[in-house]
Amino acid sequence: MSGDGAARLAEKNRLIADTVALRPTDKVVSVFYTMFWHAKAGGATCRDMMYDYKKSAEITKKLVLDLDPDMFSLPHPVSALGPTMELMGFKTLEWPGHGTPDNVSYQYLDREYMKPEEYDDYLFDPTGYYLSKYLPRIAEAFEGLAALPTLPSLYYVQIVHGTRYFASKEVRGAFERLAKAGDEMRSMLRVAMGFAQEMADLGYPQAQGPTAIAPFDYLGDNFRGSKGIMLDMYRRKDKLMAAMEKSIPFILKQAIEVGSRHACKMVFIPIHWAFDGFMSLEQFKTFFWPPLRKVMMGLIEKDLIPLVLWEGECSSRLETIADIPKGKCIYWFERTDLKLAKAVLGDITCLRGNVPASLLTAGTAEEVDAFCKDLIATAGKGGGLILDGGIGIPDEAKYECVRAMIESTRKYRP
Amino acid sequence: MTDQERQLVDAIAEMREDDALPMAKKLLADGAEPMRVLELCRNAMDIVGGRFEKGEYFLPELVLAGEMLEQIGAIVKPLLTGKEGAATKKHGKVLIGTVKGDLHDIGKNIVTFMLDINGFEVLDIGIDQADAKFIDAIKNFQPQVVALSGFLTLAFDSMKNTVDSINKAGLRDKVKIMIGGGQVDEKVREYTGADAFGLNAMAAVNLCRTWTGVAA
């Protein structure tokens, strides 16, 4: 690492740490986070970014060096997933080159991946349920694993006899296919890690480390689908509550393991089903917040920083979600009025957001500058603000608007 | 309304699914006209819609109410002779779809449902719909309102293109166009050339009421 790079990295890391801890700063933090904007800004397609690891790194490097944000998110874990998903026959997304056109972002398929009567199976033995039912449904490569026996049913020489299952055509095929997918994932991660180091050497820290999930979203997004989980709130409330509780140690284990060795201690938690219009405040306080808070507290105990992206408008939730330790989290709001959030939460947590996607996409650089100036003066007053788009830089944002957003953090003092 | 009928309306409106279905069955067994049971369901949905509008009910309640309606409908409809159903008056026609490139449908489905229970005849043409599909549907269905849905930012351009195509087809003055979903706001409305945007399903209902001259 050159002296310049090391000094820049230390300076940016200090600014980020001070901002999260709510210490006064002379600048708000800027960030480069996007799904696929780098493709369009770099003259490539979304499909290129899904499949060409090196190109994704090269383009991102060029954009980050040009825009000079205080931190950046590695594109690979978010968008360079095409080859591995193809090898494993991943079924819950459609992506550029595989279901969506080359220049369209990947999109999640909202389906029921766990049947309502299967809550008991998940609660009894989550791992067994994953192997026999869930994983075979979400990716072709796992289908053969359904032929495995219930492993704890084997004991003593039964375990010796049980080796025969692993020689079955189905299981053997599954492991072979998964190994190929795993090799591909390792290739991707090698490029990603190399790129992360290169950017650190140039002085740019990463904007997120591991990811975690709210237990309600874990069940809603990945198992029951949006309709299923809404019905479960009435039809099988106790099982839903029990399944959320059951998921917490698993969610934490993964995030803490990755977080312990990651350079970035911010744990990204995108929140999907908490917005004002979705469920009542009472339902939010019953179903959503308590299990999410447990996840957040589990991360904080391990010196990780929950970076919670509250999608949609969440104004009615602000008082409830204020119940967290001071200076230990980041609350990123998509559409919630950040000035209101500052008034309610400004003494408790660092805020992030929220230049509207419409402004970055259909506005002018001058409009973006004026918006950011106001946001820094109000939501950023005294520090504690990471300036970003509502959900990062939208894929269709104009370059000059993105530049204006990041430049504003250098132009206007909080 | 008899006590028994009131109990069915209350069970649906209060989200007591376990009570609603047996009550509907009992009403039919006791000799109620199938059409009367459907009318009671509509009364209950009016209450549900009203509570949604007032911020007392949210999406889980709409979805559960829809499920109850579907289950009761499945019992009642085979009993209809065919003469009764046709007379239901609709306030106006709304064409709805998710624009090209966008596969999201949750918001669109909720808007469709709310428009439907509020008396509009809704044609939902689905997700990822090209301009030509909207144009064809406008010509055939002849709606007063076209609702364009989209969650992704790419939908901004797709909505704009669809509005432009409606213009070019000479149909723009025949329909009001509203947009909604995800990150849509006034800036996007201006960009796309739509007449209005809405942040939630009730906003969509209210826009349609205004445009078709229906009293709230």
Side-chain angles (χ1 to χ4, degrees):
Chain A
M1 190 184 290
S2 73
D4 279 359
R8 182 185 290 122
L9 189 70
E11 186 192 332
K12 288 181 185 294
N13 273 329
R14 192 166 44 247
L15 173 66
I16 296 161
D18 285 344
T19 301
V20 174
L22 303 176
R23 291 186 285 267
T25 57
D26 57 4
K27 172 180 190 307
V28 303
V29 175
S30 60
V31 56
F32 180 98
Y33 171 87
T34 188
M35 292 285 287
F36 282 105
W37 180 71
H38 58 312
K40 296 178 188 183
T45 64
C46 296
R47 189 176 197 285
D48 293 336
M49 300 299 93
M50 288 292 286
Y51 284 85
D52 190 335
Y53 311 143
K54 287 189 176 154
K55 195 168 190 177
S56 178
E58 281 161 16
I59 287 177
T60 303
K61 179 181 170 185
K62 198 164 160 245
L63 294 171
V64 170
L65 292 182
D66 183 49
L67 295 166
D68 190 24
D70 293 314
M71 56 184 181
F72 82 108
S73 282
L74 269 186
H76 300 85
V78 178
S79 57
L81 304 173
T84 305
M85 292 202 295
E86 214 158 274
L87 284 167
M88 67 192 296
F90 199 62
K91 297 185 222 171
T92 72
L93 289 179
E94 295 204 344
W95 64 91
H98 198 285
T100 66
D102 284 0
N103 232 352
V104 171
S105 171
Y106 63 73
Q107 296 175 55
Y108 173 72
L109 300 173
D110 177 42
R111 304 269 192 278
E112 183 182 84
Y113 298 103
M114 177 172 91
K115 295 174 187 159
E117 61 272 19
E118 290 172 354
Y119 267 104
D120 287 336
D121 297 338
Y122 176 81
L123 287 167
F124 174 66
D125 172 15
T127 305
Y129 179 71
Y130 257 66
L131 290 172
S132 65
K133 301 268 178 61
Y134 179 66
L135 293 175
R137 280 180 195 152
I138 62 150
E140 290 164 7
F142 290 116
E143 284 168 8
L145 298 186
L148 284 173
T150 305
L151 293 175
S153 71
L154 305 178
Y155 57 94
Y156 193 41
V157 294
Q158 299 294 325
I159 293 175
V160 182
H161 303 159
T163 53
R164 70 187 186 279
Y165 295 106
F166 291 87
S168 73
K169 193 179 154 203
E170 294 85 357
V171 175
R172 197 188 288 265
F175 280 125
E176 280 169 6
R177 194 165 171 182
L178 286 167
K180 279 184 194 151
D183 282 340
E184 185 62 41
M185 183 46 57
R186 283 178 175 223
S187 305
M188 185 274 262
L189 289 172
R190 263 195 303 277
V191 175
M193 293 304 108
F195 176 53
Q197 189 56 54
E198 185 186 357
M199 294 307 289
D201 291 347
L202 289 166
Y204 292 95
Q206 289 181 64
Q208 68 187 57
T211 57
I213 188 166
F216 189 91
D217 289 339
Y218 171 85
L219 264 303
D221 287 347
N222 301 292
F223 291 82
R224 297 287 295 122
S226 57
K227 183 178 174 188
I229 202 155
M230 284 191 257
L231 292 172
D232 293 344
M233 290 166 72
Y234 277 95
R235 287 179 175 168
R236 46 192 74 81
K237 176 184 172 186
D238 292 348
K239 289 192 198 293
L240 170 57
M241 297 299 287
M244 287 196 288
E245 193 66 30
K246 188 93 177 178
S247 73
I248 292 171
F250 295 109
I251 294 168
L252 279 173
K253 189 170 165 42
Q254 160 71 7
I256 290 168
E257 273 176 15
V258 176
S260 66
R261 51 178 192 270
H262 206 290
C264 178
K265 301 302 176 191
M266 291 180 265
V267 183
F268 185 44
I269 310 179
I271 300 290
H272 294 148
W273 294 111
F275 58 94
D276 289 347
F278 175 64
M279 61 168 81
S280 71
L281 183 58
E282 217 37 55
Q283 288 166 333
F284 176 77
K285 286 178 180 175
T286 304
F287 291 99
F288 208 100
W289 175 240
L292 169 60
R293 187 174 183 281
K294 281 186 189 171
V295 170
M296 292 170 62
M297 294 306 291
L299 297 172
I300 292 168
E301 264 175 38
K302 298 292 179 185
D303 294 324
L304 296 169
I305 303 163
L307 160 59
V308 187
L309 167 56
W310 297 94
E311 290 189 7
E313 157 93 46
C314 293
S315 305
S316 76
R317 320 303 198 207
L318 297 180
E319 279 85 8
T320 308
I321 64 176
D323 180 23
I324 48 166
K326 182 179 173 179
K328 300 287 184 190
C329 299
I330 301 163
Y331 277 173
W332 179 3
F333 290 106
E334 183 197 357
R335 289 189 84 135
T336 307
D337 179 357
L338 222 52
K339 294 173 193 172
L340 176 66
K342 179 78 169 181
V344 180
L345 297 164
D347 294 335
I348 298 164
T349 183
C350 166
L351 303 175
R352 177 165 162 178
N354 63 4
V355 184
S358 59
L359 199 54
L360 291 166
T361 304
T364 63
E366 291 71 31
E367 287 172 320
V368 171
D369 180 78
F371 186 93
C372 293
K373 181 183 180 187
D374 178 57
L375 205 60
I376 292 168
T378 51
K381 195 171 180 193
L385 175 67
I386 298 167
L387 187 75
D388 195 0
I391 304 188
I393 302 170
D395 297 348
E396 284 75 21
K398 293 178 189 163
Y399 203 101
E400 65 268 24
C401 290
V402 177
R403 186 188 295 286
M405 176 172 76
I406 291 174
E407 281 297 324
S408 75
T409 66
R410 286 184 274 268
K411 267 171 87 175
Y412 306 112
R413 290 170 67 91
Chain B
M1 195 178 291
T2 65
D3 278 355
Q4 205 185 351
E5 290 175 341
R6 168 60 58 200
Q7 282 170 11
L8 173 62
V9 172
D10 286 349
I12 298 172
E14 302 296 331
M15 302 293 128
R16 284 186 282 110
E17 187 186 21
D18 290 343
D19 294 338
L21 204 61
M23 282 176 181
K25 283 181 181 166
K26 183 153 191 336
L27 268 172
L28 290 166
D30 290 351
E33 288 293 324
M35 272 310 287
R36 178 63 186 153
V37 175
L38 288 185
E39 261 174 53
L40 296 170
C41 288
R42 269 195 291 277
N43 290 343
M45 293 313 285
D46 285 345
I47 298 172
V48 172
R51 288 180 186 174
F52 183 76
E53 196 165 357
K54 280 191 265 178
E56 295 168 7
Y57 277 173
F58 291 83
L59 299 192
E61 288 74 27
L62 289 189
V63 169
L64 183 62
E67 283 282 301
M68 288 189 271
L69 202 64
E70 205 174 303
Q71 290 174 44
I72 295 172
I75 300 168
V76 170
K77 279 174 188 159
L79 306 174
L80 296 173
T81 58
K83 293 176 198 154
E84 311 95 324
T88 313
K89 193 160 185 257
K90 292 282 182 180
H91 292 322
K93 289 182 175 182
V94 184
L95 169 69
I96 190 167
T98 304
V99 293
K100 182 79 187 153
D102 200 320
L103 309 179
H104 292 87
D105 64 358
I106 298 172
K108 170 183 69 62
N109 294 347
I110 295 288
V111 170
T112 301
F113 179 74
M114 281 306 289
L115 287 168
D116 183 54
I117 66 170
N118 279 284
F120 291 91
E121 186 179 350
V122 188
L123 176 65
D124 178 354
I125 56 172
I127 56 171
D128 191 17
Q129 291 298 316
D131 306 353
K133 292 282 175 58
F134 279 98
I135 305 285
D136 286 349
I138 292 170
K139 287 178 182 164
N140 296 326
F141 182 58
Q142 302 193 331
Q144 286 90 41
V145 180
V146 176
L148 305 179
S149 174
F151 182 75
L152 303 171
T153 47
L154 69 84
F156 301 169
D157 277 328
S158 296
M159 288 170 173
K160 183 179 184 340
N161 293 338
T162 305
V163 175
D164 288 348
S165 296
I166 293 171
N167 249 323
K168 280 184 201 140
L171 298 166
R172 185 67 182 88
D173 59 347
K174 297 192 174 7
V175 292
K176 289 284 189 182
I177 302 176
M178 62 182 183
I179 58 172
Q183 310 180 61
V184 159
D185 58 14
E186 173 55 24
K187 186 92 196 164
V188 181
R189 186 212 62 76
E190 188 188 327
Y191 178 72
T192 58
D195 295 303
F197 75 98
L199 291 176
N200 56 52
M202 273 327 295
V205 171
N206 288 330
L207 285 169
C208 290
R209 281 176 179 159
T210 307
W211 286 336
T212 57
V214 178

